[in-house]
């Protein structure tokens, strides 16, 4: 349990850095490096107290010791130079183990303000090395500030979802456990804790032998493409008791180096995003694709031992998309390893994404003995699905676990497990029926309304149009918020990137207010006709302000923001809106009452999710086609250039 004093120190350290190091990931890296620096000195001091010698800060590195760095009388610029030189040269220190060299690899000080550094080091000085659960939890709290999508589409997985997946897979002390996209090693640490808890006596004492503990530490493996994530996961594991953690910088999808290595348990929340042009994988995958989510699931399914198990968080495209590679992947999973699909609510990754996800449970042993697959729909995970994610009483995770536990134990026993409102057991033959192997459980529920004859409702009855700014009255005028001018909204693209920042007092009076997951719709010509609209994500403090020429549409719990976006982007909405625009010349606008009174179809939320995911899969295909066309056009130009005998630029 994280204590208040430690949390305060971490928050204070971040507050000190934020003016010079605004990026949360960089803040975490700077605090990580400083903590390890301080802890190495603490371990040296402990060694001296026990009659030993200093190892980390010995010889020529003795001048970098923490006491020398913090000594009174050392000037600000001297401190700056000494600390900057120390962290830059630490990978060459012969007195530190390879793990610490890896942590300090490419470390540097990204600012040159001596006052900021001295204030920062003063806070770090309050931490003491303690190889305990408390310090590990403190570091996980620090990592929790990484609450935004990474460049490769990574999302931080909430700990209660990680623990839920580990509980289902029940990793054992003798098993090899792998996360091939490990991020900060959350799945590995949760699995480690689970095994420790599972191997205790009635008094809570460990029953693991020294040999078992040694083998256990070697059995945990992780890969990540990002050197920054490798550094953070190494520290996280070290602070949880791993003296020699096995985390490697490795591209799971394009390198064949570890292709012949297998694991008994694989747990992962792999990146969802594919780069422009797609992934260019090697040819050993069973399913040929350029989409990262397809390749990661294929990799994990193929790298299980004969009786291996996996828990994988996947985007909705894996569940329902109609592309060839997606159908091939689902077919392989259904035939060889899939035993359960757990549908998660769309808000699990709030506040930084409303993406809809599911969990695939693979178990090769159970799959060979079962002719059916279990489905469970989690509607609540114990936290509100809005941006704040406050704790609530409703929680379906325990019911999902009990259902799956009963289902797994019934396989081959002849016992029947009854379906319920949230749970289904579907024969594989039915899933394979039309050849697309759709993994949406609702598709197989009898008497579910399908995609037609849905009621029409006024937009204003299921959404709030232009929410009042009075909701911000309790915030400080100095609160930093995102600022989104009209130019930053893309045309016919749901996503945009908020990069500008202002303080609340600068924008409250003159600009339009919105929050994460609000739909922004340009109302003025020519922006409206050009298709400028999008959904706000990754806003600073969850709040944004922008052009007064936006309509802001905030969804209620009856509609998904994505559903609203696709409705207002449809020609049925847009053509009628253009005909009703008022004003003169270049300042014509869509009337507010038109937006309020426009009627949209209202399917159940689960059906909305299906349709949204299907549309997004088509858009992903369009992007792939565009990239392919661009590459072919370049080849044409290159061929023409060769004919002219001129270099191709």
């Amino acid at each position: 349990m994280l204590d208040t004093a430690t949390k305060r120190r971490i928050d204070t350290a971040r507050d000190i850095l934020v003016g010079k190091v605004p990026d949360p990931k960089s803040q975490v890296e700077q605090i990580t490096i400083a903590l390890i620096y301080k802890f190495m000195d603490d371990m040296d001091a402990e060694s001296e107290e026990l009659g030993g010698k200093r190892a980390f800060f010995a010889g020529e590195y003795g001048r970098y010791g923490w006491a020398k760095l913090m000594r009174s009388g050392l000037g600000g610029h001297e401190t700056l130079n000494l600390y900057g030189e120390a962290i830059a040269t630490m990978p060459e220190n012969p007195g530190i183990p390879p793990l610490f060299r890896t942590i300090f690899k490419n470390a540097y000080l990204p600012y040159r303000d001596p006052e900021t550094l001295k204030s920062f080091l003063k806070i770090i000085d309050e931490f003491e090395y303690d190889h305990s659960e408390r310090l590990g939890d403190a570091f996980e709290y620090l990592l929790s500030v990484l609450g935004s999508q990474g460049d490769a589409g990574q999302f931080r997985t909430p700990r209660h979802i990680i623990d839920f997946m580990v509980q289902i897979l029940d990793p054992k002390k003798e098993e090899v456990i792998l996360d091939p996209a490990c991020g900060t090693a959350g799945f590995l640490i949760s699995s480690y804790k689970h095994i420790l808890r599972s191997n205790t006596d009635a008094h809570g004492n460990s029953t693991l032998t020294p040999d078992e503990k040694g083998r256990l530490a070697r059995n945990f493996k992780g890969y990540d493409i990002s050197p920054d994530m490798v550094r953070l996961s190494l520290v996280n594991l070290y602070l949880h008791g791993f003296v020699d953690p096995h985390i490697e910088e490795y591209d799971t999808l394009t390198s064949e180096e570890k292709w012949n290595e297998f694991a008994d348990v694989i747990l992962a929340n792999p990146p969802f995003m594919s780069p422009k042009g797609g992934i260019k994988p090697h040819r050993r995958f069973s399913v040929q694709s350029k989409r990262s989510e397809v390749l990661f699931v294929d990799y994990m399914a193929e790298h299980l031992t004969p009786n291996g198990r996996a828990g994988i968080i996947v985007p909705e495209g894996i569940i329902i998309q109609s592309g060839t590679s997606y159908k091939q992947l689902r077919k392989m999973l259904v035939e060889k390893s899939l035993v359960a699909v757990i549908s998660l609510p769309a808000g699990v990754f709030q506040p930084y994404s409303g993406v809809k996800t599911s969990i695939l449970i693979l178990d090769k042993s159970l799959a060979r003995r079962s002719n059916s697959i279990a489905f469970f729909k989690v509607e609540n995970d114990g936290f509100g699905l809005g941006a704040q994610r406050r704790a609530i009483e409703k929680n379906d995770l325990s019911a999902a676990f009990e259902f799956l536990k009963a289902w797994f134990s019934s396989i081959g026993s002849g016992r029947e497990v009854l379906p319920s409102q949230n749970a289904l057991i579907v024969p594989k033959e039915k899933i394979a029926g039309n050849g697309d192997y759709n993994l949406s459980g609702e598709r197989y529920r009898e008497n579910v309304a399908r995609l037609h004859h849905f009621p029409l409702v006024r937009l204003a009855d299921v959404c709030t149009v232009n929410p009042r700014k009075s909701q911000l009255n309790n915030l400080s005028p100095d609160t930093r918020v995102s600022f989104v001018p009209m130019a930053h909204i893309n045309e016919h693209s749901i996503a945009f990137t908020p990069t500008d920042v202002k303080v609340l007092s600068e924008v409250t009076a003159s600009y339009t207010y919105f929050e994460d997951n609000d739909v922004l719709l340009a109302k003025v010509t020519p922006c409206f006709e050009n298709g400028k609209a999008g959904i706000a994500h990754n806003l600073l403090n969850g709040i944004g302000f922008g052009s007064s020429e936006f309509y802001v549409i905030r969804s209620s719990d009856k509609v998904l923001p994505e559903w609203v976006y696709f409705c207002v982007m449809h020609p049925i909405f847009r053509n009628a809106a253009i005909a009703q625009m008022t004003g003169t010349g270049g300042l014509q606008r869509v009337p507010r009452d038109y937006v309020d009174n426009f009627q949209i179809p209202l399917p159940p939320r689960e059906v909305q999710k299906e349709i949204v995911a299907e549309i997004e899969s088509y858009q992903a295909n369009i992007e792939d086609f565009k990239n392919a066309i661009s590459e072919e056009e370049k080849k044409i130009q290159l061929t023409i250039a060769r004919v002219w005998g001129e270099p191709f630029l």
Side-chain angles (χ1 to χ4, degrees):
M1 178 72 101
L2 179 64
D3 64 277
T4 304
T6 303
K7 180 179 181 297
R8 175 192 59 77
R9 292 183 190 118
I10 292 172
D11 291 339
T12 303
R14 289 191 60 231
D15 289 342
I16 291 169
L17 291 176
V18 72
K20 302 294 180 184
V21 187
D23 175 46
K25 183 158 74 71
S26 296
Q27 294 167 16
V28 172
E29 289 168 3
Q30 290 302 310
I31 295 171
T32 298
I33 291 164
L35 285 175
I36 293 299
Y37 191 125
K38 169 68 164 57
F39 294 161
M40 289 193 306
D41 194 274
D42 287 350
M43 285 185 272
D44 269 352
E46 183 180 42
S47 177
E48 281 187 321
E49 288 177 10
L50 297 174
K53 295 181 179 180
R54 285 183 167 264
F56 297 104
F57 294 99
E60 63 178 297
Y61 284 87
R63 64 195 184 95
Y64 299 127
W66 190 262
K68 292 181 172 62
L69 185 68
M70 300 299 292
R71 71 181 183 271
S72 62
L74 190 66
H77 287 284
E78 291 175 293
T79 303
L80 193 75
N81 292 334
L82 187 64
Y83 181 73
E85 183 181 314
I87 62 174
T89 60
M90 203 61 71
E92 303 163 18
N93 185 346
I96 66 176
L99 167 64
F100 287 82
R101 291 197 191 99
T102 303
I103 291 169
F104 280 96
K105 183 180 179 182
N106 298 323
Y108 71 100
L109 193 61
Y111 59 90
R112 301 298 298 172
D113 178 26
E115 291 305 314
T116 297
L117 179 62
K118 292 198 73 141
S119 298
F120 173 66
L121 294 179
K122 185 178 179 181
I123 290 296
I124 297 298
D125 191 47
E126 296 180 15
F127 287 91
E128 292 182 6
Y129 178 71
D130 177 0
H131 219 315
S132 69
E133 183 71 11
R134 182 176 61 82
L135 192 54
D137 285 344
F139 190 71
E140 287 194 45
Y141 169 70
L142 174 61
L143 295 178
S144 73
V145 308
L146 298 178
S148 60
Q149 182 177 356
D151 295 336
Q154 312 101 315
F155 289 104
R156 178 181 175 272
T157 314
R159 186 191 290 192
H160 67 288
I161 299 297
I162 291 176
D163 292 343
F164 168 68
M165 293 169 63
V166 169
Q167 185 183 23
I168 291 172
L169 292 191
D170 189 23
K172 303 294 193 296
K173 62 183 180 182
E174 68 278 3
E175 293 182 316
V176 173
I177 300 164
L178 169 68
D179 183 344
C182 68
T184 58
F187 281 108
L188 299 179
I189 289 168
S190 178
S191 298
Y192 179 64
K193 292 178 180 178
H194 176 86
I195 293 171
L196 294 182
R197 286 193 300 269
S198 302
N199 290 274
T200 56
D201 59 24
H203 303 290
N205 300 313
S206 175
T207 58
L208 294 171
T209 67
D211 284 346
E212 287 174 333
K213 289 180 179 179
R215 189 164 55 251
L216 180 62
R218 293 191 296 272
N219 281 347
F220 284 83
K221 300 179 181 180
Y223 313 143
D224 202 282
I225 194 173
S226 165
D228 296 331
M229 289 296 106
V230 170
R231 174 187 291 157
L232 295 177
S233 60
L234 285 171
V235 176
N236 202 11
L237 286 163
Y238 183 80
L239 295 177
H240 281 87
F242 287 75
V243 176
D244 183 25
H246 298 283
I247 305 294
E248 298 181 54
E249 184 180 340
Y250 180 69
D251 188 340
T252 306
L253 304 184
T254 63
S255 174
E256 297 184 58
E257 181 184 340
K258 299 181 184 298
W259 185 261
N260 294 323
E261 296 182 14
F262 297 86
D264 302 298
V265 176
I266 299 179
L267 286 146
N269 176 11
F272 299 165
M273 187 181 295
S274 299
K276 188 174 182 179
I279 302 288
K280 295 180 180 178
H282 53 73
R283 293 293 176 182
R284 299 184 70 176
F285 287 90
S286 294
V287 179
Q288 299 304 309
S289 175
K290 293 184 177 181
R291 304 295 301 176
S292 63
E293 65 270 29
V294 173
L295 293 169
F296 264 114
V297 176
D298 182 8
Y299 181 93
M300 288 181 265
E302 291 195 60
H303 284 78
L304 289 173
T305 55
N307 292 320
R309 313 182 298 288
I312 314 166
I313 296 177
V314 297
E316 203 68 355
I318 292 290
I319 302 297
I320 66 171
Q321 189 169 332
S322 58
T324 300
S325 62
Y326 290 86
K327 289 193 286 189
Q328 289 176 347
L329 176 68
R330 291 195 294 265
K331 181 176 187 293
M332 179 188 74
L333 295 175
V334 168
E335 292 177 349
K336 295 183 177 181
S337 58
L338 185 67
V339 292
V341 180
I342 305 164
S343 172
L344 296 175
V348 163
F349 288 106
Q350 293 282 24
Y352 42 90
S353 174
V355 64
K356 172 73 179 73
T357 59
S358 293
I359 301 170
L360 303 182
I361 303 297
L362 314 184
D363 189 316
K364 286 191 169 183
S365 176
L366 289 177
R368 287 194 295 269
R369 294 185 279 127
S370 174
N371 294 318
S372 299
I373 292 173
F375 293 84
F376 193 97
K377 181 172 70 174
V378 173
E379 295 179 330
N380 292 283
D381 68 334
F383 296 87
L385 299 175
Q388 301 303 317
R389 292 289 276 154
R390 295 187 177 91
I392 61 174
E393 291 186 6
K394 295 179 180 178
N395 190 343
D396 301 324
L397 295 181
S398 58
F401 174 74
E402 293 301 327
F403 167 72
L404 292 178
K405 182 180 177 182
W407 159 241
F408 295 158
S409 65
S410 73
I411 292 174
S413 69
R415 294 196 306 272
E416 184 179 7
V417 177
L418 297 176
S420 66
Q421 181 178 347
N422 288 8
L424 288 174
I425 296 173
V426 181
K428 293 179 182 178
E429 182 181 3
K430 188 172 184 179
I431 295 172
N434 64 0
D436 69 355
Y437 289 84
N438 188 292
L439 296 179
S440 172
E442 293 304 299
R443 166 167 292 202
Y444 306 106
R445 190 179 294 278
E446 301 298 330
N447 302 319
V448 173
R450 298 311 301 161
L451 312 181
H452 60 281
H453 302 311
F454 295 117
L456 297 175
V457 295
R458 291 173 64 248
L459 196 62
D461 289 340
V462 292
C463 297
T464 302
V465 180
N466 291 350
R468 295 181 180 275
K469 299 176 185 176
S470 58
Q471 299 180 50
L472 306 176
N473 288 344
N474 294 329
L475 295 180
S476 165
D478 296 328
T479 301
R480 299 166 76 239
V481 299
S482 293
F483 183 73
V484 183
M486 183 68 74
H488 289 191
I489 300 296
N490 299 314
E491 297 177 359
H492 299 286
S493 176
I494 197 169
F496 62 89
T497 303
T499 56
D500 293 355
V501 176
K502 294 184 181 293
V503 296
L504 200 57
S505 59
E506 293 181 280
V507 293
T508 306
S510 305
Y511 296 98
T512 301
Y513 144 73
F514 48 90
E515 293 187 359
D516 279 329
N517 297 312
D518 287 345
V519 176
L520 304 187
L521 174 68
K523 62 184 176 183
V524 67
T525 191
C527 299
F528 178 82
E529 294 95 320
N530 291 343
K532 279 186 171 283
I535 299 180
H537 288 309
N538 302 320
L539 300 175
L540 189 60
N541 291 312
I543 299 169
F545 278 81
S547 170
S548 59
E549 299 293 353
F550 289 138
Y551 281 127
V552 177
I553 307 173
R554 180 168 297 169
S555 302
S556 69
D557 59 2
K558 296 180 180 178
V559 285
L560 300 175
E562 294 82 2
W563 179 256
V564 174
Y565 170 84
F566 289 124
C567 285
V568 300
M569 291 300 289
H570 196 279
I572 292 176
F573 175 89
R574 303 187 73 78
N575 293 341
I578 292 170
Q580 296 191 37
M581 293 179 87
T582 59
T584 58
L587 290 177
Q588 291 189 316
R589 295 178 176 86
V590 178
R592 165 69 184 269
D593 62 349
Y594 172 80
V595 177
D596 286 343
N597 294 311
F598 184 81
Q599 292 189 321
I600 64 172
L602 187 66
R605 279 179 64 95
E606 204 62 38
V607 176
Q608 292 178 41
K609 293 172 188 174
E610 265 193 58
I611 299 172
V612 165
E614 186 174 352
I615 293 172
E616 290 175 342
S617 73
Y618 298 146
Q619 290 181 328
N621 288 339
I622 289 171
E623 289 303 313
D624 288 343
F625 294 144
K626 285 181 179 177
N627 293 329
I629 291 169
S630 177
E631 292 298 318
E632 296 305 310
E633 287 175 341
K634 288 179 182 177
K635 293 176 184 177
I636 291 171
Q637 296 302 318
L638 180 59
T639 302
I640 294 172
R642 286 204 309 269
V643 172
W644 284 93
E646 295 182 356
F648 176 67
L649 301 178

